[in-house]
Amino acid sequence: QTTSTIADEGRQRLAAGPLAVSFDQVAVQYEKERDFALRDITFQLAAGETLGLLGRTGSGKTTLTRLLLRLVEPTSGAIHLGATGVVPSALPLTELRRHIGMVTQDVQLFPATIRDNLTFFDPTVSDETLLAIAQRLGLAEWLTNLPAGLDTQVGAGGQGLSAGQAQLVAFLRIGLQDPGLVILDEPASRLDPVTERLLDQAIGRLLQGRTGIIIAHRLATVQRVDKIMILAEGRVVELGERAVLLAQQ
Ligand code: ATP
Ligand code: MG
């Protein structure tokens, strides 16, 4: 099911703050007669914990994250969010998507200024607010050192920004959104060392006081998570505390 066809009839709310997540035997089949993209996915993340998702291409990592935003609906099983264990469909979509922030591999950028790209053209968001968030994420210097600062024009399709820089923009957007759960699909491409260092620092700060689910491609990111889940062909083949899993190697 696509976003345009899902029901938006929920009336529940989520409390602010880090969001607990639990999956109970969740399965996803995109089309009848096709293999399941996910099968029997069960795990719990306490509020404030971070999960690293690993697995080969096609193993179901992105599908798992898309379930949380109802970009995909479970074929069976259930997902519960927050201290009260609300199912995503019991929340208005706007509420769900306010509390869960997602950074995808290909960040959507508009041919507009960096400011408008950060605020989504909302003129009520002040430059001071943007700079305060950048400061918190360790990105203030990067932002002000752009050719024209917040007035820097981004070309169509994000022209003028590298993939890594586009991620920095996405992180600032998440900082502004201030969700209780951050989902990060890390770019698999190589990053330049300066941007990589900025990203690393920003990820750490973004995850402070939030729950996180990270599809990690870099060792530095894997080393940041509390728990690791390895998927293979839609199934969990490994799940546990990072420290324990590493000690078993
Ligand atoms: P990658 O590392 O390449 O990003 P992934 O682990 O994120 O892979 P998914 O994108 O979740 O894997 O895909 C899991 C399975 O579901 C794959 O077999 C894929 O072909 C299938 N799939 C993903 N999206 C759709 C879709 N919209 N419609 C049909 N099948 C899909
Ligand atoms: Mg993916």
Side-chain angles (χ1 to χ4, degrees):
Q1 274 188 321
T2 59
T3 316
S4 52
T5 58
I6 60 171
D8 187 10
E9 288 155 359
R11 290 278 183 277
Q12 306 255 18
R13 298 280 154 184
L14 287 172
L19 200 62
V21 176
S22 110
F23 275 52
D24 184 13
Q25 296 196 301
V26 173
V28 172
Q29 187 182 32
Y30 279 105
E31 288 158 62
K32 288 201 169 61
E33 318 292 324
R34 291 271 308 272
D35 283 346
F36 279 73
L38 288 177
R39 222 186 253 278
D40 201 13
I41 304 296
T42 300
F43 70 94
Q44 283 88 39
L45 268 186
E49 277 188 324
T50 52
L51 174 73
L53 262 184
L54 308 179
R56 290 191 182 178
T57 179
S59 58
K61 305 181 296 293
T62 299
T63 301
L64 191 154
T65 62
R66 288 169 66 86
L67 282 162
L68 288 156
L69 286 167
R70 294 188 70 206
L71 297 168
V72 176
E73 296 277 49
T75 306
S76 61
I79 295 167
H80 297 277
L81 301 172
T84 54
V86 184
V87 299
S89 60
L91 300 159
L93 274 177
T94 52
E95 173 81 355
L96 181 69
R97 292 174 188 178
R98 183 164 59 238
H99 286 270
I100 303 178
M102 174 132 91
V103 178
T104 55
Q105 285 194 343
D106 55 317
V107 177
Q108 294 277 335
L109 294 166
F110 312 104
T113 61
I114 287 282
R115 179 188 295 104
D116 287 338
N117 269 285
L118 293 177
T119 63
F120 292 99
F121 302 92
D122 179 352
T124 66
V125 181
S126 70
D127 287 3
E128 288 67 38
T129 300
L130 294 177
L131 288 171
I133 286 159
Q135 194 82 50
R136 229 171 293 151
L137 297 184
L139 298 174
E141 213 184 329
W142 174 75
L143 199 57
T144 50
N145 284 344
L146 289 172
L150 285 168
D151 291 309
T152 304
Q153 200 71 29
V154 179
Q159 214 180 4
L161 293 184
S162 68
Q165 291 179 322
Q167 291 260 315
L168 296 181
V169 171
F171 282 13
L172 290 166
R173 284 174 173 168
I174 299 284
L176 197 58
Q177 179 190 350
D178 195 19
L181 170 64
V182 176
I183 296 167
L184 170 59
D185 203 340
E186 243 190 357
S189 56
R190 269 194 169 283
L191 303 169
D192 69 272
V194 174
T195 310
E196 182 156 11
R197 213 170 317 119
L198 287 174
L199 272 172
D200 270 339
Q201 184 181 45
I203 290 176
R205 297 199 182 178
L206 211 50
L207 289 174
Q208 276 172 22
R210 298 193 173 95
T211 309
I213 298 182
I214 308 182
I215 300 175
H217 290 287
R218 293 176 312 121
L219 187 60
T221 314
V222 175
Q223 284 166 340
R224 206 179 271 293
V225 301
D226 301 310
K227 289 180 171 171
I228 287 179
M229 175 187 288
I230 304 176
L231 291 172
E233 296 176 7
R235 292 176 190 273
V236 178
V237 292
E238 199 84 71
L239 173 65
E241 301 290 322
R242 177 182 51 84
V244 175
L245 288 180
L246 288 185
Q248 290 168 351
Q249 296 299 305

